Structures are given as C-alpha cells and as structure tokens.
C-alpha cells in the first residue's frame, strides 16, 4: 500500500510495534500517520501516542495527546478514561514540581 493513499498502514504499524513493546518505532509510525492523514485528524493515532508516552513515563506528552484525542472524539467509548487520566496527570503535576524545587 502506498502510505499517502493509505495512512492507516502507519497506524497498524504503530499498533504492531506497541504490542511488541518497541515504543520508539511505534511513536515514529504514529507520527508518520499524523503527517499523512486528512485535515480532520485521526483520533486513534492520538490515543496510541498517549499510550506510548504513558509507557515511557512522559506524562506531559501523554496529556497533550489525550487532549487532542478528546478534541477530535469527545464522545468516544474511551473518552471517559481519557478524561480520568488527564485529571490524574493534572493532580500529579504540582507534586512533581514541588519535589524538584529546593526548600
């Protein structure tokens, strides 16, 4: 399949790498999918990027992708989960900043 005519191929490639726990390769495929999708966006790719960043411990990037996911798909089946994770990340942020600042 030609990637520009079938950007979903990048998404499925991302899924495969994710389940193989090859997160850098999964991220690369997801980002390629985003550069080749129509202007309306692809919520599933943002969801997968959030899951990749979660596995890598990159909470700020995870939150950014969850916000994009919810913007594109506010009524998705996973939307309540995304909102809950965003709340959790937001509650962790002040604690993380306080631990970094000297007293």
């Amino acid at each position: 399949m030609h990637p520009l005519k079938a950007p979903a191929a990048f998404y499925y490639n991302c899924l495969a790498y994710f389940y193989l726990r090859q997160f850098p390769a999964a991220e690369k495929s997801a980002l390629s999918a985003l550069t080749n999708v129509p202007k309306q966006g692809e919520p599933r790719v943002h969801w997968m990027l959030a899951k990749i960043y979660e596995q890598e411990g990159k909470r700020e990037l995870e939150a950014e992708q969850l916000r994009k996911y919810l913007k594109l798909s506010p009524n998705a089946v996973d939307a309540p989960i995304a909102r809950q994770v965003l709340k959790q990340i937001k509650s962790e942020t002040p604690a993380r900043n306080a631990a970094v600042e000297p007293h």
Side-chain angles (χ1 to χ4, degrees):
M1 285 195 266
H2 190 279
L4 296 178
K5 294 180 182 171
F10 285 116
Y11 170 74
Y12 291 113
N13 196 35
C14 168
L15 278 176
Y17 279 126
F18 179 82
Y19 287 110
L20 291 171
R21 302 191 56 79
Q22 296 179 16
F23 302 122
E27 178 185 19
K28 182 179 178 184
S29 292
L31 294 173
S32 293
L34 289 178
T35 61
N36 293 299
V37 294
K39 290 191 186 278
Q40 71 266 21
E42 178 52 70
R44 298 178 303 170
V45 176
H46 293 292
W47 180 257
M48 284 307 302
L49 278 168
K51 301 217 39 93
I52 291 164
Y53 294 140
E54 174 188 26
Q55 292 299 311
E56 295 178 331
K58 299 176 181 175
R59 299 296 270 176
E60 292 81 15
L61 292 173
E62 178 187 0
E64 178 184 337
Q65 292 303 318
L66 288 172
R67 284 189 288 274
K68 289 178 181 180
Y69 173 75
L70 288 169
K71 183 177 180 184
L72 292 170
S73 194
N75 299 317
V77 173
D78 294 324
I81 295 167
R83 288 185 188 93
Q84 182 63 36
V85 172
L86 279 172
K87 283 173 69 173
Q88 180 183 4
I89 292 170
K90 187 177 180 180
S91 70
E92 291 172 359
T93 303
R96 190 176 307 155
N97 290 340
V100 172
E101 293 177 14
H103 293 281

